[in-house]
PDB file of all heavy atoms in Angstrom:
ATOM      1  N   VAL A 201       2.244 -65.416 -13.033  1.00  0.00           N
ATOM      2  CA  VAL A 201       3.181 -65.955 -14.032  1.00  0.00           C
ATOM      3  C   VAL A 201       3.449 -64.988 -15.112  1.00  0.00           C
ATOM      4  O   VAL A 201       4.536 -64.760 -15.587  1.00  0.00           O
ATOM      5  CB  VAL A 201       2.716 -67.263 -14.549  1.00  0.00           C
ATOM      6  CG1 VAL A 201       3.617 -67.739 -15.677  1.00  0.00           C
ATOM      7  CG2 VAL A 201       2.717 -68.303 -13.484  1.00  0.00           C
ATOM      8  N   GLY A 215     -14.793 -55.106 -29.207  1.00  0.00           N
ATOM      9  CA  GLY A 215     -16.265 -55.260 -28.947  1.00  0.00           C
ATOM     10  C   GLY A 215     -16.624 -55.542 -27.602  1.00  0.00           C
ATOM     11  O   GLY A 215     -17.758 -55.465 -27.230  1.00  0.00           O
ATOM     12  N   GLN A 254      -7.305 -15.482  -1.155  1.00  0.00           N
ATOM     13  CA  GLN A 254      -8.716 -15.467  -1.555  1.00  0.00           C
ATOM     14  C   GLN A 254      -8.947 -15.101  -2.988  1.00  0.00           C
ATOM     15  O   GLN A 254      -8.120 -14.424  -3.613  1.00  0.00           O
ATOM     16  CB  GLN A 254      -9.475 -14.393  -0.637  1.00  0.00           C
ATOM     17  CG  GLN A 254      -8.972 -12.958  -0.876  1.00  0.00           C
ATOM     18  CD  GLN A 254      -9.695 -11.933  -0.094  1.00  0.00           C
ATOM     19  OE1 GLN A 254     -10.461 -11.174  -0.572  1.00  0.00           O
ATOM     20  NE2 GLN A 254      -9.449 -11.984   1.294  1.00  0.00           N
ATOM     21  N   ALA A 277      -9.040 -20.669 -12.900  1.00  0.00           N
ATOM     22  CA  ALA A 277      -8.313 -21.691 -13.644  1.00  0.00           C
ATOM     23  C   ALA A 277      -9.103 -22.880 -14.022  1.00  0.00           C
ATOM     24  O   ALA A 277      -8.691 -23.673 -14.888  1.00  0.00           O
ATOM     25  CB  ALA A 277      -7.033 -22.113 -12.823  1.00  0.00           C
ATOM     26  N   ALA A 295     -17.319 -30.396   1.022  1.00  0.00           N
ATOM     27  CA  ALA A 295     -17.190 -30.868   2.371  1.00  0.00           C
ATOM     28  C   ALA A 295     -17.304 -32.396   2.374  1.00  0.00           C
ATOM     29  O   ALA A 295     -18.001 -33.030   3.263  1.00  0.00           O
ATOM     30  CB  ALA A 295     -18.349 -30.276   3.294  1.00  0.00           C
ATOM     31  N   ASN A 338     -15.399 -60.810 -17.718  1.00  0.00           N
ATOM     32  CA  ASN A 338     -14.662 -60.012 -18.685  1.00  0.00           C
ATOM     33  C   ASN A 338     -13.192 -60.412 -18.604  1.00  0.00           C
ATOM     34  O   ASN A 338     -12.531 -60.176 -17.646  1.00  0.00           O
ATOM     35  CB  ASN A 338     -14.762 -58.509 -18.370  1.00  0.00           C
ATOM     36  CG  ASN A 338     -14.080 -57.639 -19.328  1.00  0.00           C
ATOM     37  OD1 ASN A 338     -13.270 -58.148 -20.209  1.00  0.00           O
ATOM     38  ND2 ASN A 338     -14.203 -56.325 -19.231  1.00  0.00           N
ATOM     39  N   SER A 354      -5.778 -48.682  -5.163  1.00  0.00           N
ATOM     40  CA  SER A 354      -7.195 -49.023  -5.262  1.00  0.00           C
ATOM     41  C   SER A 354      -7.449 -50.222  -6.241  1.00  0.00           C
ATOM     42  O   SER A 354      -8.458 -50.884  -6.114  1.00  0.00           O
ATOM     43  CB  SER A 354      -7.967 -47.854  -5.821  1.00  0.00           C
ATOM     44  OG  SER A 354      -7.420 -47.346  -7.084  1.00  0.00           O
ATOM     45  N   ALA A 379      11.760 -54.115 -38.403  1.00  0.00           N
ATOM     46  CA  ALA A 379      12.783 -55.314 -38.357  1.00  0.00           C
ATOM     47  C   ALA A 379      13.039 -55.600 -36.831  1.00  0.00           C
ATOM     48  O   ALA A 379      13.150 -56.787 -36.495  1.00  0.00           O
ATOM     49  CB  ALA A 379      14.039 -54.888 -39.008  1.00  0.00           C
ATOM     50  N   PHE A 384      12.475 -59.217 -32.218  1.00  0.00           N
ATOM     51  CA  PHE A 384      11.924 -59.319 -30.921  1.00  0.00           C
ATOM     52  C   PHE A 384      10.909 -60.472 -30.795  1.00  0.00           C
ATOM     53  O   PHE A 384      10.980 -61.319 -29.847  1.00  0.00           O
ATOM     54  CB  PHE A 384      11.356 -57.978 -30.383  1.00  0.00           C
ATOM     55  CG  PHE A 384      10.862 -58.038 -29.020  1.00  0.00           C
ATOM     56  CD1 PHE A 384      11.752 -58.003 -27.941  1.00  0.00           C
ATOM     57  CD2 PHE A 384       9.528 -57.997 -28.696  1.00  0.00           C
ATOM     58  CE1 PHE A 384      11.321 -57.960 -26.665  1.00  0.00           C
ATOM     59  CE2 PHE A 384       9.087 -57.963 -27.387  1.00  0.00           C
ATOM     60  CZ  PHE A 384       9.986 -57.938 -26.403  1.00  0.00           C
ATOM     61  N   LEU A 406       2.719 -62.686 -27.792  1.00  0.00           N
ATOM     62  CA  LEU A 406       3.010 -62.680 -29.233  1.00  0.00           C
ATOM     63  C   LEU A 406       1.791 -62.214 -29.989  1.00  0.00           C
ATOM     64  O   LEU A 406       1.848 -61.404 -30.941  1.00  0.00           O
ATOM     65  CB  LEU A 406       3.510 -64.002 -29.679  1.00  0.00           C
ATOM     66  CG  LEU A 406       4.933 -64.345 -29.276  1.00  0.00           C
ATOM     67  CD1 LEU A 406       5.229 -65.827 -29.573  1.00  0.00           C
ATOM     68  CD2 LEU A 406       5.968 -63.511 -29.863  1.00  0.00           C
ATOM     69  N   ALA A 408      -0.641 -60.535 -28.984  1.00  0.00           N
ATOM     70  CA  ALA A 408      -0.955 -59.091 -28.697  1.00  0.00           C
ATOM     71  C   ALA A 408      -0.154 -58.180 -29.528  1.00  0.00           C
ATOM     72  O   ALA A 408      -0.665 -57.210 -30.137  1.00  0.00           O
ATOM     73  CB  ALA A 408      -0.745 -58.885 -27.215  1.00  0.00           C
ATOM     74  N   PHE A 433      -0.455 -35.493 -16.928  1.00  0.00           N
ATOM     75  CA  PHE A 433      -1.905 -35.805 -16.707  1.00  0.00           C
ATOM     76  C   PHE A 433      -2.683 -35.681 -17.987  1.00  0.00           C
ATOM     77  O   PHE A 433      -3.514 -36.579 -18.296  1.00  0.00           O
ATOM     78  CB  PHE A 433      -2.384 -34.696 -15.746  1.00  0.00           C
ATOM     79  CG  PHE A 433      -3.862 -34.976 -15.354  1.00  0.00           C
ATOM     80  CD1 PHE A 433      -4.245 -36.161 -14.724  1.00  0.00           C
ATOM     81  CD2 PHE A 433      -4.823 -34.015 -15.599  1.00  0.00           C
ATOM     82  CE1 PHE A 433      -5.613 -36.350 -14.389  1.00  0.00           C
ATOM     83  CE2 PHE A 433      -6.134 -34.140 -15.235  1.00  0.00           C
ATOM     84  CZ  PHE A 433      -6.561 -35.362 -14.585  1.00  0.00           C
ATOM     85  N   GLY A 434      -2.416 -34.692 -18.807  1.00  0.00           N
ATOM     86  CA  GLY A 434      -3.151 -34.626 -20.046  1.00  0.00           C
ATOM     87  C   GLY A 434      -2.846 -35.762 -21.023  1.00  0.00           C
ATOM     88  O   GLY A 434      -3.786 -36.280 -21.627  1.00  0.00           O
ATOM     89  N   TRP A 460      -0.177 -31.303  -5.019  1.00  0.00           N
ATOM     90  CA  TRP A 460      -1.185 -30.441  -4.391  1.00  0.00           C
ATOM     91  C   TRP A 460      -0.811 -30.134  -2.936  1.00  0.00           C
ATOM     92  O   TRP A 460      -1.622 -29.485  -2.264  1.00  0.00           O
ATOM     93  CB  TRP A 460      -2.552 -31.173  -4.392  1.00  0.00           C
ATOM     94  CG  TRP A 460      -3.074 -31.414  -5.811  1.00  0.00           C
ATOM     95  CD1 TRP A 460      -2.844 -32.613  -6.470  1.00  0.00           C
ATOM     96  CD2 TRP A 460      -3.773 -30.554  -6.633  1.00  0.00           C
ATOM     97  NE1 TRP A 460      -3.475 -32.478  -7.777  1.00  0.00           N
ATOM     98  CE2 TRP A 460      -4.031 -31.244  -7.820  1.00  0.00           C
ATOM     99  CE3 TRP A 460      -4.172 -29.306  -6.549  1.00  0.00           C
ATOM    100  CZ2 TRP A 460      -4.717 -30.681  -8.938  1.00  0.00           C
ATOM    101  CZ3 TRP A 460      -4.933 -28.682  -7.626  1.00  0.00           C
ATOM    102  CH2 TRP A 460      -5.119 -29.374  -8.786  1.00  0.00           C
ATOM    103  N   GLU A 470      -1.947 -16.845  -9.716  1.00  0.00           N
ATOM    104  CA  GLU A 470      -0.793 -17.361 -10.405  1.00  0.00           C
ATOM    105  C   GLU A 470      -0.016 -18.147  -9.394  1.00  0.00           C
ATOM    106  O   GLU A 470      -0.012 -17.853  -8.210  1.00  0.00           O
ATOM    107  CB  GLU A 470       0.006 -16.220 -10.974  1.00  0.00           C
ATOM    108  CG  GLU A 470      -0.664 -15.435 -12.090  1.00  0.00           C
ATOM    109  CD  GLU A 470       0.229 -14.345 -12.653  1.00  0.00           C
ATOM    110  OE1 GLU A 470       1.359 -14.224 -12.158  1.00  0.00           O
ATOM    111  OE2 GLU A 470      -0.269 -13.630 -13.582  1.00  0.00           O
ATOM    112  N   GLY A 475      -1.731 -23.223 -11.425  1.00  0.00           N
ATOM    113  CA  GLY A 475      -1.206 -24.000 -12.600  1.00  0.00           C
ATOM    114  C   GLY A 475      -1.769 -25.428 -12.592  1.00  0.00           C
ATOM    115  O   GLY A 475      -2.062 -25.946 -13.642  1.00  0.00           O
ATOM    116  N   ASP A 482      -8.246 -28.354 -17.910  1.00  0.00           N
ATOM    117  CA  ASP A 482      -8.044 -28.300 -19.297  1.00  0.00           C
ATOM    118  C   ASP A 482      -7.907 -29.778 -19.830  1.00  0.00           C
ATOM    119  O   ASP A 482      -8.410 -30.136 -20.949  1.00  0.00           O
ATOM    120  CB  ASP A 482      -6.817 -27.534 -19.674  1.00  0.00           C
ATOM    121  CG  ASP A 482      -7.043 -26.035 -19.472  1.00  0.00           C
ATOM    122  OD1 ASP A 482      -8.121 -25.590 -19.150  1.00  0.00           O
ATOM    123  OD2 ASP A 482      -5.967 -25.273 -19.546  1.00  0.00           O
ATOM    124  N   LEU A 484      -9.139 -32.596 -18.343  1.00  0.00           N
ATOM    125  CA  LEU A 484     -10.394 -33.313 -18.347  1.00  0.00           C
ATOM    126  C   LEU A 484     -11.329 -32.808 -19.282  1.00  0.00           C
ATOM    127  O   LEU A 484     -12.139 -33.584 -19.867  1.00  0.00           O
ATOM    128  CB  LEU A 484     -10.961 -33.179 -16.851  1.00  0.00           C
ATOM    129  CG  LEU A 484     -10.308 -34.156 -15.832  1.00  0.00           C
ATOM    130  CD1 LEU A 484     -10.740 -33.646 -14.378  1.00  0.00           C
ATOM    131  CD2 LEU A 484     -10.702 -35.567 -16.129  1.00  0.00           C
ATOM    132  N   THR A 518      -1.256 -23.271   2.616  1.00  0.00           N
ATOM    133  CA  THR A 518      -2.320 -23.830   3.502  1.00  0.00           C
ATOM    134  C   THR A 518      -1.736 -25.143   3.980  1.00  0.00           C
ATOM    135  O   THR A 518      -1.125 -25.919   3.313  1.00  0.00           O
ATOM    136  CB  THR A 518      -3.602 -23.988   2.790  1.00  0.00           C
ATOM    137  OG1 THR A 518      -3.468 -24.685   1.536  1.00  0.00           O
ATOM    138  CG2 THR A 518      -4.265 -22.633   2.470  1.00  0.00           C
ATOM    139  N   ASN A 534     -26.763 -36.204 -12.435  1.00  0.00           N
ATOM    140  CA  ASN A 534     -27.647 -35.008 -12.296  1.00  0.00           C
ATOM    141  C   ASN A 534     -26.685 -33.853 -11.947  1.00  0.00           C
ATOM    142  O   ASN A 534     -26.532 -33.438 -10.788  1.00  0.00           O
ATOM    143  CB  ASN A 534     -28.611 -35.316 -11.206  1.00  0.00           C
ATOM    144  CG  ASN A 534     -29.589 -36.467 -11.532  1.00  0.00           C
ATOM    145  OD1 ASN A 534     -30.086 -36.522 -12.599  1.00  0.00           O
ATOM    146  ND2 ASN A 534     -29.648 -37.412 -10.599  1.00  0.00           N
ATOM    147  N   LEU A 566     -18.943 -42.801  -4.071  1.00  0.00           N
ATOM    148  CA  LEU A 566     -18.466 -43.829  -4.914  1.00  0.00           C
ATOM    149  C   LEU A 566     -19.538 -44.994  -4.965  1.00  0.00           C
ATOM    150  O   LEU A 566     -19.717 -45.573  -6.016  1.00  0.00           O
ATOM    151  CB  LEU A 566     -17.214 -44.444  -4.372  1.00  0.00           C
ATOM    152  CG  LEU A 566     -15.951 -43.387  -4.337  1.00  0.00           C
ATOM    153  CD1 LEU A 566     -14.766 -44.098  -3.727  1.00  0.00           C
ATOM    154  CD2 LEU A 566     -15.641 -42.879  -5.711  1.00  0.00           C
ATOM    155  N   LEU A 570     -21.118 -46.721  -8.159  1.00  0.00           N
ATOM    156  CA  LEU A 570     -20.968 -48.090  -8.427  1.00  0.00           C
ATOM    157  C   LEU A 570     -22.336 -48.792  -8.676  1.00  0.00           C
ATOM    158  O   LEU A 570     -22.526 -49.635  -9.520  1.00  0.00           O
ATOM    159  CB  LEU A 570     -20.209 -48.814  -7.313  1.00  0.00           C
ATOM    160  CG  LEU A 570     -18.760 -48.397  -7.206  1.00  0.00           C
ATOM    161  CD1 LEU A 570     -18.162 -48.966  -5.853  1.00  0.00           C
ATOM    162  CD2 LEU A 570     -17.957 -48.917  -8.349  1.00  0.00           C
ATOM    163  N   GLY A 585     -17.940 -52.631   6.391  1.00  0.00           N
ATOM    164  CA  GLY A 585     -18.099 -51.844   7.663  1.00  0.00           C
ATOM    165  C   GLY A 585     -18.709 -50.490   7.405  1.00  0.00           C
ATOM    166  O   GLY A 585     -18.916 -49.706   8.351  1.00  0.00           O
ATOM    167  N   ALA A 595     -26.419 -39.587  -9.389  1.00  0.00           N
ATOM    168  CA  ALA A 595     -26.397 -40.317 -10.667  1.00  0.00           C
ATOM    169  C   ALA A 595     -27.836 -40.766 -11.085  1.00  0.00           C
ATOM    170  O   ALA A 595     -28.743 -40.964 -10.240  1.00  0.00           O
ATOM    171  CB  ALA A 595     -25.570 -41.631 -10.376  1.00  0.00           C
TER     172      ALA A 595
END
Side-chain angles (χ1 to χ4, degrees):
V201 172
Q254 62 181 252
N338 180 352
S354 58
F384 180 73
L406 288 170
F433 184 62
W460 300 94
E470 296 181 358
D482 291 352
L484 281 169
T518 50
N534 296 312
L566 300 178
L570 290 172

